[in-house]
Amino acid sequence: MVEIRLTNTRTRRKEVFTPIDPANVRMYVCGPTVYDRAHIGNARPVVVFDTLFRLLRHVYGADHVTYVRNFTDVDDKINAEAQRRRAAGRPGTLEELIRERTEETIAWYHADMDALGALRPTMEPRATEYIGAMIAMISDLIGKGHAYAADGHVLFRVRSYRDYGALSGRSVDDMIAGARVEVAPFKEDPMDFVLWKPSDADLPGWDSPWGRGRPGWHIECSAMSHELLGATFDIHGGGIDLQFPHHENEIAQSCCAHPEAGFARVWMHNEMLQVEGKKMSKSLGNFFTVRDLLDQGYPGEVIRMVYLGTHYSKPMDWTAEKAAQAEATLRKWRGLVADAKAAPEPSPSVIEALSDDLNTAGAIAALHALAGAGDAAGLKASAALLGLLEDGMGDWVRELEILEWLVEGEDARPVIEMTIEKIAKARSEKDYSTADSLKSALAEAGVTLSFDRDGGVTYKRAKKLDLSKLEGLQ
RNA sequence: GGCGGGUUGGCGGAGAGGUUACGCAGCGGAUUGCAAAUCCGUGAAGACCGGUUCGAUUCCGGUACCCGCCUCCA
């Protein structure tokens, strides 16, 4: 059995991973709030934990890993969008408009993450489908003295949980000292957080013992992980920004509701993503969704490769330069494995790298070694463990067939193909000056040609074509 | 202010207390009408200051700078 080592945020140490039940390894990852397209930062944990999922499936068997990733479909940003639509005259009740928004966002999310080669998790529960479980858990917490109802809200009594702050290394007193939060008058303690809050007529709500309302953010993950994975499970993942308060609060809720269980054994957090060295933000103009990148012509496989190039525990910088390098490498590898049949097993070197705290950069280095040795079968089988070089994701290599050739409504392809034929003819007649001038005109128009030794021609299309550059050529 | 992460060769980016990371770019060569691609070879590093050690880029402490969280943003 391969020994997997993972850095556990909870203990701040790299530990040997030992599943509670090797026949059912259980992992929960915090998923998206479905109010809009996923940005490229949202995609990092998806790729990271997808890779871990693949490794676990390889080691314990595909049928012995349960991966749960939730959709948060109760949220003020979703409500705001639905209210905006209603104000704009869209038909339907608020609940219907909310459902409409979350449905379309989930469909986008699936399409975008599929494009990155991420396997669908075993289960993708929605918060709204587990309201009953949340209410039951909240009632239980009240009964055990860990929560209290006040002014239509239910709050978690942070002081009732000794170990609060253990995950993120904070003490309650320090946090209060440095807190910038406004303290609601109904809180017993400034750090107490909301389990349930009241909804007015303009907000979605569910009936509860505390009146019509909606759940706080943190309780959904505690309730759903308990329902689907049990009171104790193996791995809980998410972005480092969730470490506090979200995960801290999850731990408090779950451990107080089920004090006999340990909740998640291993906590894993991926570091944040930056763009060209800066924090991604709308105001800086460097904010991209995954769909933006796909639309710009970056293949999903290339995006994935860029992500895997940096260890998950370090900040990752998205740059055009990295994408270009990743594309060149994948292009080379795709050429190598084009006619290869995958080996029955991935290379031990790749498994070893991934087993060492998901060292994806090391795994890629191992893939380079396989490629350098000409081991196409081994490369193909090993890359699959990283979600790379898989069948069905490589169409981007043959841009000619798949890209659209419309320029301002006209099909550019006949003009370009005719020009290419002229170049080929000129070359065969050794009229190199004509060939070169046509070639450079074509390059300016947006199509770069290269010739094989055996006379074949391959060409690469730029994102934007400008056919005016071809005018006036014979 | 509190907590946490980072700083490696021109660029990206890993591991290991002492032996080549790896990739890209560069340089030299093969191939090519010229290129591209491909192949072979090759130089180059670990923010700063101390400490531990026979020996540290790798461990410990400090300084500087960068980043994140503490505001339901992965």
Side-chain angles (χ1 to χ4, degrees):
Chain A
M1 180 68 72
V2 178
E3 182 181 276
I4 297 175
R5 282 143 284 146
L6 300 172
T7 297
N8 190 348
T9 314
R10 197 165 60 108
T11 59
R12 286 156 226 281
R13 275 207 290 270
K14 199 189 280 189
E15 301 169 347
V16 173
F17 175 69
T18 313
I20 297 160
D21 176 8
N24 184 20
V25 181
R26 288 158 287 162
M27 172 163 79
Y28 186 95
V29 174
C30 290
T33 301
V34 284
Y35 67 99
D36 205 351
R37 284 273 186 195
H39 60 67
I40 61 174
N42 297 124
R44 169 113 109 140
V46 173
V47 172
V48 165
F49 291 105
D50 176 65
T51 308
L52 180 57
F53 185 37
R54 288 170 187 266
L55 176 67
L56 293 171
R57 283 161 60 97
H58 174 75
V59 173
Y60 296 100
D63 296 335
H64 300 292
V65 183
T66 304
Y67 172 23
V68 176
R69 186 181 63 206
N70 66 296
F71 284 120
T72 299
D73 57 353
V74 187
D75 175 81
D76 287 344
K77 286 191 283 288
I78 300 169
N79 300 338
E81 173 64 18
Q83 285 167 350
R84 195 189 62 72
R85 290 183 177 192
R86 189 169 62 174
R90 194 117 158 190
T93 65
L94 188 67
E95 280 73 17
E96 285 166 350
L97 290 172
I98 286 172
R99 187 75 183 177
E100 194 178 285
R101 181 59 173 175
T102 58
E103 287 287 347
E104 75 185 358
T105 308
I106 287 170
W108 288 337
Y109 188 82
H110 276 148
D112 295 348
M113 299 308 127
D114 288 353
L116 298 184
L119 302 171
R120 296 279 178 93
T122 320
M123 288 177 264
E124 297 183 285
R126 297 175 178 215
T128 51
E129 290 163 355
Y130 288 85
I131 301 288
M134 294 185 220
I135 291 173
M137 189 174 226
I138 294 169
S139 298
D140 183 36
L141 286 169
I142 292 174
K144 287 175 172 154
H146 293 295
Y148 57 96
D151 203 17
H153 294 67
V154 180
L155 293 129
F156 186 88
R157 187 175 278 131
V158 166
R159 297 278 181 187
S160 77
Y161 180 55
R162 268 188 80 89
D163 292 335
Y164 191 80
L167 178 72
S168 52
R170 297 153 199 251
S171 80
V172 176
D173 293 325
D174 286 349
M175 284 186 279
I176 291 170
R180 290 184 248 154
V181 287
E182 224 173 290
V183 181
F186 47 81
K187 283 189 180 181
E188 282 181 9
D189 187 283
M191 291 310 295
D192 289 351
F193 58 90
V194 170
L195 297 173
W196 188 263
K197 53 191 168 188
S199 292
D200 62 26
D202 283 331
L203 290 169
W206 290 263
D207 290 329
S208 80
W210 319 285
R212 181 174 176 275
R214 59 198 197 282
W217 174 36
H218 315 293
I219 193 70
E220 64 173 86
C221 290
S222 287
M224 291 190 286
S225 63
H226 181 258
E227 291 292 310
L228 299 171
L229 297 176
T232 310
F233 54 95
D234 297 292
I235 298 168
H236 191 127
I240 188 70
D241 57 331
L242 293 181
Q243 185 187 30
F244 187 88
H246 183 54
H247 289 161
E248 199 72 69
N249 292 353
E250 267 189 65
I251 290 173
Q253 294 160 351
S254 294
C255 289
C256 287
H258 309 287
E260 73 292 347
F263 197 39
R265 288 260 190 98
V266 180
W267 286 82
M268 291 180 70
H269 292 99
N270 61 275
E271 255 292 347
M272 299 292 100
L273 177 142
Q274 295 177 280
V275 173
E276 305 284 351
K278 295 200 174 73
K279 180 186 164 92
M280 182 168 71
S281 73
K282 285 176 180 166
S283 60
L284 284 172
N286 62 353
F287 183 94
F288 302 111
T289 64
V290 172
R291 181 52 51 184
D292 288 335
L293 292 182
L294 293 169
D295 287 346
Q296 283 166 32
Y298 291 108
E301 187 177 36
V302 169
I303 300 171
R304 184 181 181 95
M305 177 87 166
V306 170
Y307 281 26
L308 295 175
T310 302
H311 192 258
Y312 75 87
S313 67
K314 292 199 172 183
M316 191 209 106
D317 200 11
W318 170 273
T319 65
E321 166 76 18
K322 280 188 184 178
Q325 278 191 23
E327 178 176 333
T329 302
L330 285 170
R331 195 178 287 278
K332 187 164 97 176
W333 286 352
R334 284 244 170 231
L336 197 63
V337 289
D339 302 315
K341 194 169 179 303
E345 286 290 315
S347 162
S349 60
V350 173
I351 295 172
E352 174 50 36
L354 288 180
S355 299
D356 183 13
D357 199 23
L358 218 58
N359 183 358
T360 49
I364 288 173
L367 294 182
H368 278 293
L370 294 171
D375 181 4
L379 175 62
K380 192 167 163 66
S382 305
L385 207 50
L386 291 167
L388 298 172
L389 303 185
E390 297 198 281
D391 298 333
M393 268 194 89
D395 286 347
W396 61 273
V397 176
R398 305 190 315 275
E399 280 112 332
L400 176 61
E401 282 77 20
I402 60 160
L403 286 184
E404 295 197 7
W405 290 83
L406 292 178
V407 177
E408 287 166 13
E410 280 190 59
D411 190 353
R413 206 162 150 168
V415 185
I416 290 167
E417 288 185 337
M418 196 173 71
T419 308
I420 290 170
E421 276 173 34
K422 281 183 187 166
I423 295 170
K425 184 161 178 285
R427 290 184 76 236
S428 68
E429 291 167 359
K430 301 211 191 295
D431 179 4
Y432 294 120
S433 65
T434 300
D436 286 351
S437 70
L438 284 169
K439 197 165 89 171
S440 57
L442 206 50
E444 281 190 42
V447 178
T448 311
L449 295 188
S450 54
F451 301 99
D452 294 342
R453 228 180 308 173
D454 54 10
V457 58
T458 58
Y459 45 111
K460 202 179 156 182
R461 224 205 76 170
K463 272 109 197 163
K464 211 169 150 122
L465 296 181
D466 180 2
L467 292 186
S468 67
K469 294 290 193 307
L470 291 178
E471 284 169 15
L473 288 172
Q474 67 271 47

